[in-house]
Amino acid sequence: MTRMMAIEAAVHVLEKEGVSVCFGVPGAAINPFYAALQRNGRIGHVLARHVEGASHMAEGYTRATAGNIGVCVGTSGPAGTDMITGLYSASADSIPILCITGQAPRARLHKEDFQAVDISSIAKPVAKWAVTVLEPGQVPYAFQQAFHFMRSGRPGPVLIDLPIDVQMAEIEFDPDTYQPLPVYKPAATRSQVEKALAMLNEAKRPLLVAGGGIINADASPALVEFAETIGVPVIPTLMGWGTIPDDHPLMAGMVGLQTAHRYGNAAMLASDFVLGIGNRWANRHTGSVDVYTKGRKFVHVDIEPTQIGRVFAPDLGIVSDAGAALALFVEVAKEWKAAGKLKDRSEWVATCQARKRSMLRKSDFDNVPIKPQRVYQEMNTAFGQDVCYVSTIGLSQIAGAQFLHVYKPRHWINCGQAGPLGWTLPAALGVCVADPKRKIVALSGDYDFQFLIEELAVGAQFKLPYIHVLVNNSYLGLIRQAQRAFQMDFQVQLSFENINAPEIGVYGVDHVAVAEGLGCKAIRVTDPDRIQEAFTQAQKWMGEFQVPVVVEIILERVTNIAMGTEINTITEFEETLDLPTEETATVLV
């Protein structure tokens, strides 16, 4: 056997488990890990400016490519507490990331030592597993268990906390014989799939709801094949957007109270059966259960047993990995199709296609200041079908989901449930690290952008070019819109007259100056007819300087974006386009 420090064994495990890069911030209690990382020399490291930023970089890295597990690293005390938001975001969306923290020596844990906090207890509610390792000999096997947990069943994040004396103690460990533990994922049975397909076959107007579990399972091609085999329209959730291309004839639109299409909600309300795969019936998707479920039957397929029946009890529940279930659904569906057992759904599909062509929202506004809808129209034109969008929360994300188009899985990178402000920028950097050749466009409102704006320096330092579209109305726009129900507009205005930038009027922060001060390039747009020019310039600068490029677009201060309290009562604040289907080809959305 080979003797080595416990932390060196941990780094060997990281390498054996496929880790090639970490995101983090060094500090006293985690320095032994950094020393082992340096000695190893085969695992890269991206130095964040904030440990929360590092955790979101790890999320973006995981979400970008199937099989990735992002790793973020920090010292003891506040570094761990900074990671909690990243753990929560990852846990909420079933995203595996590994958070590694340093800790005070074991003998000092109960003595209120400097920066000593019981981080594993703090992290447990938002992690799949959180542990402070107290025995050096357990260190490599704690890491082995962490990867087993993150990959098995419903994916999720893990935190490993390491006292400094545990890291530095010598142990016996043989990296040459190390093997990752087998991954466990439940799989549907043939009888379950046949029962679900029989229920679908009895329906007149069935739909498939495609959730983020399909993307986690890397099963989007199987979802499309299944939908095409049975001829049934697909409703992707916000986390499942991209499982089927937006221009596919069976893509029926998204459903929900905010991030939804008019035609998607109409399709759901007209349906009589829903087969949900890898989704969790999120409340922004469903609205009230009574409205969402009325008049239709449900089958729910999910990898996590306790998700079945959590929001409402389906008519049939199947505990299965989405990929395993879809493989069997495709197999059975093809057999039934060959035998002539599947119903012809062409009339139902044609109805959904007609809605998709006609139930639109206006986007070709010429207003100055710019209306946000025009921005997304221009983004569709400029960036094409290969673009990967990264976004978090706010009116920018909601309007983006209503107007943008996504054509590939993992090309809408979004924290669906937690929605922490500041997430977009570091997550986009994580996506850049995972896939340097991908065309990445991040989308933020001004407040989201300001939360972790310092991470732009990371993009400059490590040459991580992407475009950051910053739609600036100098407001907490979503909260302002929500405050309308309380007849107030209170503490949500970000506007002020910047004495150093009188040219921007009351829009306050000079984002162009800040971005340039952090080593990036930036351009400001005030005329809608100059947006394409700005995007072209941004792409040139990315190639020339290899840094993030911010395109700030000055919006009108107040725009209310379509949303409602139920999927059948969405308030449309702007003009809608209910067009004859033969005319819709001329409308840009």
Side-chain angles (χ1 to χ4, degrees), residues 245-520:
D246 265 16
D247 60 354
H248 194 287
L250 292 175
M251 198 290 198
M254 288 195 290
V255 169
L257 307 182
Q258 297 174 337
T259 54
H261 303 113
R262 296 179 64 218
Y263 47 88
N265 282 347
M268 176 60 69
L269 292 166
S271 70
D272 63 355
F273 175 89
V274 176
L275 168 56
I277 303 175
N279 65 302
R280 59 180 180 83
W281 312 119
N283 64 299
R284 285 208 298 166
H285 168 81
T286 64
S288 73
V289 169
D290 289 345
V291 171
Y292 187 80
T293 61
K294 185 178 180 180
R296 55 194 64 89
K297 292 184 177 181
F298 288 84
V299 173
H300 189 197
V301 180
D302 198 89
I303 196 170
E304 171 56 46
T306 61
Q307 285 293 330
I308 307 292
R310 179 184 289 266
V311 178
F312 61 85
D315 297 273
L316 175 65
I318 300 174
V319 179
S320 177
D321 168 70
L326 279 166
L328 203 47
F329 271 116
V330 169
E331 179 182 321
V332 174
K334 286 184 172 180
E335 292 174 6
W336 286 22
K337 186 174 184 178
K341 294 173 63 175
L342 293 177
K343 289 182 179 179
D344 179 10
R345 307 289 182 185
S346 56
E347 185 176 344
W348 168 233
V349 171
T351 301
C352 292
Q353 289 175 339
R355 291 192 190 96
K356 186 176 176 180
R357 291 193 300 269
S358 63
M359 297 182 67
L360 306 176
R361 294 178 171 115
K362 180 177 171 66
S363 60
D364 57 344
F365 294 98
D366 293 325
N367 303 50
V368 178
I370 300 168
K371 292 188 79 68
Q373 294 87 347
R374 174 68 180 271
V375 179
Y376 308 115
Q377 173 181 306
E378 299 293 340
M379 290 171 70
N380 285 327
T381 301
F383 301 128
Q385 295 196 2
D386 290 330
V387 65
C388 172
Y389 291 115
V390 183
S391 191
T392 180
I393 188 60
L395 290 184
S396 55
Q397 177 235 37
I398 293 167
Q402 292 178 9
F403 289 96
L404 295 176
H405 296 300
V406 177
Y407 298 92
K408 297 179 181 180
R410 300 183 188 274
H411 277 58
W412 171 257
I413 309 290
N414 176 81
C415 51
Q417 183 178 347
L421 287 167
W423 186 91
T424 306
L425 199 167
L429 295 174
V431 178
C432 288
V433 173
D435 189 355
K437 295 182 179 180
R438 189 178 302 190
K439 183 194 296 185
I440 299 163
V441 175
L443 171 63
S444 287
D446 44 303
Y447 209 43
D448 169 48
F449 187 68
Q450 291 174 19
F451 258 57
L452 288 167
I453 195 170
E454 72 277 2
E455 303 303 333
L456 280 174
V458 177
Q461 179 180 355
F462 290 91
K463 302 298 183 184
L464 301 172
Y466 76 96
I467 293 176
H468 204 125
V469 177
L470 167 59
V471 285
N472 182 5
N473 62 1
S474 197
Y475 245 125
L476 300 183
L478 179 57
I479 307 306
R480 176 206 54 75
Q481 187 167 333
Q483 285 188 352
R484 294 171 72 251
F486 298 90
Q487 292 81 49
M488 67 176 181
D489 183 335
F490 183 64
Q491 291 298 309
V492 290
Q493 295 195 29
L494 301 174
S495 59
F496 64 93
E497 293 187 0
N498 187 332
I499 59 172
N500 299 306
E503 68 276 10
I504 61 176
V506 299
Y507 280 78
V509 175
D510 187 346
H511 295 108
V512 171
V514 175
E516 290 177 345
L518 291 166
C520 299

Side-chain angles (χ1 to χ4, degrees), residues 43-54:
I43 298 177
H45 183 271
V46 174
L47 177 63
R49 296 304 191 266
H50 192 295
V51 188
E52 182 186 342

